[in-house]
Amino acid sequence: MIQQITSLFSYLKSLRGEMNKSRFKIWLRVFLFLQFSAMFSFYFFRDIGNGYFSWKWAALLFTLFIPMGFLMSLIVPMKADLELRAVILSLDRVYLFLIWLLVIAKLIIGRIPPFTPEADFIMCAIMGIMFGRLGGIGLRVRRLKLQHGFIKT
């Protein structure tokens, strides 16, 4: 019984180590991006169908916020762990605060009918920032892996 409990704790400890690796955190970010995309798509279809917004504006605003997300990827704390032969990512508090602030603002503003276009603008900003940051993180992780010999070109 004690050996099983010890084994369980060892498994959970190794799982925690895996969760810090870049592959897990990148896939987690992809999953979150897809969740937000699916959720916001509902609002976009509704608002565009009602004439509050247009797909052209959604695409333009999304594209304009990609560079901001890409720049935000530069402040993500990450390091190469030579022992694990992996890149470790840490929590980026600035990004977390910004996304939560924008989501809360979207939820509040979205409840006021005259401000529906502003809520759609915020959704485009969130998606562009998330997409750009995800791409920037992927490039930085790849560069670190190449630099430390974890992968070959």
Side-chain angles (χ1 to χ4, degrees):
M1 177 72 168
I2 292 176
Q3 187 177 16
Q4 289 176 335
I5 293 172
T6 306
S7 174
L8 177 65
F9 282 129
S10 297
Y11 172 73
L12 292 174
K13 193 174 186 178
S14 70
L15 186 62
R16 184 171 182 231
E18 286 296 315
M19 289 172 53
N20 283 332
K21 291 182 181 175
S22 61
R23 178 176 291 148
F24 175 82
K25 291 208 173 172
I26 288 173
W27 281 111
L28 178 64
R29 285 170 171 85
V30 168
F31 175 72
L32 289 172
F33 176 73
L34 292 174
Q35 270 190 323
F36 274 92
S37 296
M39 183 174 57
F40 289 164
S41 292
F42 168 76
Y43 291 110
F44 280 131
F45 279 111
R46 184 194 67 190
D47 294 345
I48 290 169
N50 290 333
Y52 293 121
F53 213 60
S54 72
W55 286 113
K56 184 171 80 173
W57 276 105
L60 177 68
L61 291 171
F62 172 81
T63 305
L64 288 175
F65 278 96
I66 290 174
M68 184 179 171
F70 194 79
L71 287 173
M72 288 188 75
S73 73
L74 298 175
I75 63 171
V76 175
M78 63 177 67
K79 65 180 180 179
D81 188 327
L82 299 175
E83 186 178 307
L84 294 174
R85 295 189 53 80
V87 176
I88 307 298
L89 302 173
S90 299
L91 179 66
D92 179 8
R93 288 179 177 87
V94 173
Y95 171 76
L96 186 64
F97 174 75
L98 176 66
I99 292 300
W100 276 110
L101 179 73
L102 289 172
V103 167
I104 290 168
K106 183 265 177 263
L107 290 173
I108 292 170
I109 291 173
R111 298 275 183 213
I112 306 167
F115 293 114
T116 300
E118 287 80 1
D120 292 337
F121 177 91
I122 291 172
M123 288 189 297
C124 292
I126 291 170
M127 297 307 301
I129 291 168
M130 289 179 87
F131 185 78
R133 186 171 176 271
L134 185 60
I137 288 172
L139 291 174
R140 281 188 62 206
V141 166
R142 179 163 177 74
R143 187 180 45 133
L144 275 173
K145 285 183 175 183
L146 286 169
Q147 182 181 1
H148 292 283
F150 300 161
I151 60 172
K152 296 181 179 162
T153 58

